[in-house]
Amino acid sequence: MNVSVKTVTYSPAYTLVPTYECFNRCSYCNFRTDPGKSVWLTLTDAEARLRSLQNQGVIEILVLSGEVHPQSERRSRWLQRIYDICELALSLGFLPHTNVGPLSVTEMERLKTVNVSMGLMVEQVTPMLQQTVHRHAPSKLPELRLQQLAQAGELGIPFTTGLLLGIGETICDRWHTLEAIAQIHERWGHIQEVILQPYSPGRTEVWSNSALEPLQLVDLVAVARRILPPDIKLQVPPNLIPTDQHLIACLMAGAGDLGGIGPCDEVNPDYPHPIDARLKDVLHTAGWTLAPRLPVYPQYDGWLAAPLHSLVKGWREKLLGLECASQC
């Protein structure tokens, strides 16, 4: 009897952090430093890292940054540094994806020219978290995060968003967040994937709560698959799922992507990404095949400006060639 093989995707990625400094102080954060306490990534260092990655199988450069306050005199220099890093990545043949917090329309328009996609986690839409884990995090206002999703739709930017799970929200809060994302996507059709990220305790946070129960994640994957439109792919991070059995259960419930996999998870540094070979073996045993993808999904290629479209086309042809070679 033939057993059908299902495909789960991932993005071969490397993360560049322009700065870890952030004016937000989320209680569960293991990423941030105080403003003025983080040396900004120089273009010289960024170029050295990027050149070392060439011909190493990396496709996506995730530009992930702490947030400089919108009213800070350093905001424009911060945005220029992000832009320059993306431009540099493109010049060396990589595909940038930027996630740096809420941006103005003008800022998003500028970064759109040097990114094939962008992202921002909604986390949760309940305002109650502003009294707890987001008490000192002004940019985590739900209306501000949802506004960012709408702006991306208006600007025609392929977008990734997601939920952070287990930070004090209720089950109903999770459903409401998924429904809010679905409504925005139904208007503009620009959300390519939604991440379901379980809270995982780290060494430098001040909150120190318990990790999300894995079965809650499996259950939510199934709920999200019913709430979200079918053209939105569900993503789960394999390094934050404690067992292989729970990972497979998430895939069976409707997840179809494992996100960016690279040397380090900057947001959750205590949870290293799984090694590709082992992950492939685990999936293969359960009837799944692991396939690389680009940080922009094919249905959005036509949204890209000509220089970006040309680079993406080259990567798609390269992946197709690798797929054909593996099947011969």
Side-chain angles (χ1 to χ4, degrees):
M1 182 175 67
N2 291 328
V3 178
S4 62
V5 177
K6 302 170 286 292
T7 299
V8 59
T9 55
Y10 79 105
S11 178
Y14 185 88
T15 304
L16 288 179
V17 180
T19 179
Y20 292 90
E21 73 169 72
C22 188
F23 75 93
N24 288 317
R25 286 187 288 131
C26 303
S27 300
Y28 49 76
C29 186
N30 291 278
F31 174 86
R32 73 174 297 279
T33 61
D34 290 332
K37 300 294 185 180
S38 172
V39 177
W40 289 16
L41 179 66
T42 68
L43 293 182
T44 299
D45 287 343
E47 181 173 1
R49 290 196 210 174
L50 290 169
R51 289 194 180 278
S52 73
L53 298 172
Q54 289 182 304
N55 303 314
Q56 298 298 314
V58 174
I59 300 174
E60 173 184 348
I61 298 301
L62 169 60
V63 181
L64 181 71
S65 182
E67 300 177 41
V68 171
H69 196 284
Q71 304 304 318
S72 170
E73 61 181 12
R74 298 178 304 133
R75 177 79 174 194
S76 61
R77 185 164 65 91
W78 171 78
L79 190 80
Q80 184 65 47
R81 183 64 51 86
I82 293 165
Y83 179 94
D84 289 343
I85 290 171
C86 293
E87 188 176 50
L88 179 60
L90 285 171
S91 72
L92 294 173
F94 299 103
L95 301 180
H97 170 94
T98 290
N99 186 332
V100 294
L103 300 165
S104 69
V105 171
T106 300
E107 290 170 336
M108 289 188 81
E109 283 180 319
R110 185 143 193 263
L111 291 182
K112 175 186 176 180
T113 64
V114 290
N115 280 273
V116 299
S117 60
M118 296 176 65
L120 180 76
M121 296 287 281
V122 171
E123 297 197 1
Q124 295 292 338
V125 298
T126 174
M128 295 303 296
L129 298 181
Q130 300 302 129
Q131 307 303 315
T132 55
V133 293
H134 291 159
R135 184 183 297 112
H136 303 294
S139 87
K140 294 297 176 74
L141 288 170
E143 57 267 32
L144 184 61
R145 316 296 277 193
L146 294 176
Q147 179 188 60
Q148 189 78 167
L149 264 63
Q151 285 178 191
E154 292 170 346
L155 294 172
I157 298 173
F159 212 72
T160 293
T161 189
L163 284 67
L164 184 56
L165 305 164
I167 56 173
E169 80 285 353
T170 67
I171 291 175
C172 286
D173 291 335
R174 298 169 187 170
W175 295 352
H176 293 156
T177 303
L178 290 166
E179 289 164 354
I181 293 170
Q183 289 173 5
I184 291 174
H185 178 74
E186 285 167 2
R187 180 168 183 182
W188 286 286
H190 64 303
I191 297 174
Q192 52 184 12
E193 55 194 3
V194 167
I195 305 166
L196 300 178
Q197 179 177 321
Y199 162 75
S200 303
R203 287 176 293 177
T204 62
E205 66 183 56
V206 299
W207 193 39
S208 299
N209 204 357
S210 300
L212 182 79
E213 287 292 332
L215 287 179
Q216 290 190 42
L217 177 61
V218 176
D219 290 343
L220 189 64
V221 170
V223 171
R225 192 63 286 164
R226 294 195 298 269
I227 292 176
L228 295 174
D231 56 333
I232 295 179
K233 187 167 277 191
L234 285 177
Q235 180 185 125
V236 292
N239 61 314
L240 304 183
I241 298 176
T243 71
D244 297 339
Q245 290 76 17
H246 287 115
L247 174 60
I248 299 303
C250 285
L251 299 183
M252 296 297 293
D257 187 75
L258 303 182
I261 296 180
C264 177
D265 182 340
E266 291 283 355
V267 175
N268 296 280
D270 298 303
Y271 300 85
H273 286 299
I275 298 171
D276 285 4
R278 181 191 174 279
L279 184 58
K280 287 179 181 178
D281 287 344
V282 167
L283 294 170
H284 179 74
T285 300
W288 295 80
T289 183
L290 183 63
R293 63 159 174 84
L294 308 188
V296 58
Y297 284 40
Q299 63 266 37
Y300 300 105
D301 286 2
W303 292 21
L304 304 176
L308 297 177
H309 187 275
S310 177
L311 191 56
V312 165
K313 181 181 178 183
W315 270 111
R316 293 215 186 280
E317 291 171 351
K318 187 180 296 186
L319 284 186
L320 182 60
L322 292 172
E323 182 182 349
C324 290
S326 68
Q327 295 175 355
C328 291

